[in-house]
Amino acid sequence: MISIDPKQNSERDNYKLLIGSIIPRPIAFVTTQSEDGIVNGAPFSYFNIVSSNPPMVSLAVQRPNNHLKDTARNIYNNRQFVVHIVDDENVAKINETAASLPASESEIELANLTLVPSENVSVPGVKEAKVRMECRLVQAIPLGGNGPGSDLFIGEIVRFHIDEAIYENGRIDPRGLNAVSRLAGVNYAKIGDIFSIDRPK
């Protein structure tokens, strides 16, 4: 085994170790809205479940050069966002939203995605996702040493929207959703073999 002290590594070296080993990572496509009404959309793979009672998710947004990204700034300002699950049918369009645009321009328009109104938050979602979750901010935590390196957001889901074609008896069909996960570099993965293991009693 190779033993590495992360404090002796550059940030970039630690980043490569993290994204290369913590795989696959679910991808959240997040819409937010600026004070000027511009709808921002961006994908994030530092994302996961926090709780089911109440239902909550976490989202970490990095601060490149210690500057807030549009998504983080918008969440701090209006405390609302919508999380969409990235799947094999929308991943190409959502990849386009990763482009660096000025805050005055919408990635939604760039990727030709379709906005749909939300029910419990003011931020719209996008029609092209099979699952979307309207969220209200519960807690925001700036993280990092010499100046925050990222912002961790915990949001409570206040409304689920699920494509009826993949929903049955309270469960989501994983094959129907066909979520895409993030690996390292430019690599992604689809759902492969699904197997079951009984949990011990």
Side-chain angles (χ1 to χ4, degrees):
M1 296 286 284
I2 298 170
S3 181
I4 299 171
D5 181 352
K7 292 183 179 178
Q8 300 302 315
N9 262 354
S10 68
E11 183 275 337
R12 187 67 182 172
D13 288 337
N14 286 330
Y15 170 78
K16 289 177 181 178
L17 295 178
L18 286 167
I19 66 167
S21 58
I22 302 175
I23 57 172
R25 297 186 306 282
I27 308 168
F29 177 66
V30 181
T31 53
T32 58
Q33 195 162 20
S34 73
E35 293 177 325
D36 296 327
I38 304 296
V39 178
N40 171 266
F44 298 93
S45 67
Y46 292 14
F47 155 68
N48 222 311
I49 299 167
V50 173
S51 166
S52 57
N53 183 28
M56 294 192 290
V57 293
S58 65
L59 174 72
V61 181
Q62 303 306 292
R63 287 196 187 189
N65 301 316
N66 202 27
H67 290 293
L68 283 174
K69 289 188 174 181
D70 294 340
T71 296
R73 184 183 307 105
N74 293 343
I75 293 175
Y76 272 120
N77 286 341
N78 71 10
R79 306 181 66 81
Q80 299 178 355
F81 55 102
V82 181
V83 169
H84 309 73
I85 301 302
V86 178
D87 61 58
D88 66 329
E89 294 180 16
N90 63 27
V91 65
K93 282 190 172 185
I94 286 174
N95 182 59
E96 293 180 37
T97 69
S100 297
L101 296 182
S104 59
E105 296 181 26
S106 173
E107 294 84 357
I108 306 297
E109 294 178 12
L110 173 72
N112 199 28
L113 292 164
T114 310
L115 289 177
V116 290
S118 292
E119 294 182 26
N120 289 37
V121 300
S122 60
V123 179
V126 297
K127 183 179 180 181
E128 287 77 6
K130 296 172 189 168
V131 175
R132 71 179 186 273
M133 297 164 271
E134 300 178 18
C135 300
R136 294 187 190 277
L137 181 65
V138 173
Q139 192 169 2
I141 308 168
L143 297 171
N146 299 325
S150 68
D151 295 274
L152 175 64
F153 298 104
I154 298 173
E156 179 178 348
I157 299 166
V158 295
R159 181 70 66 175
F160 288 99
H161 299 274
I162 302 164
D163 186 335
E164 60 272 11
I166 66 169
Y167 180 81
E168 186 175 359
N169 298 324
R171 298 177 186 273
I172 293 173
D173 172 23
R175 289 291 185 199
L177 177 56
N178 212 3
V180 170
S181 61
R182 194 77 170 88
L183 304 178
V186 296
N187 295 320
Y188 293 77
K190 295 182 180 181
I191 299 248
D193 293 336
I194 296 177
F195 62 92
S196 301
I197 299 178
D198 290 335
R199 297 180 67 172
K201 296 180 181 180

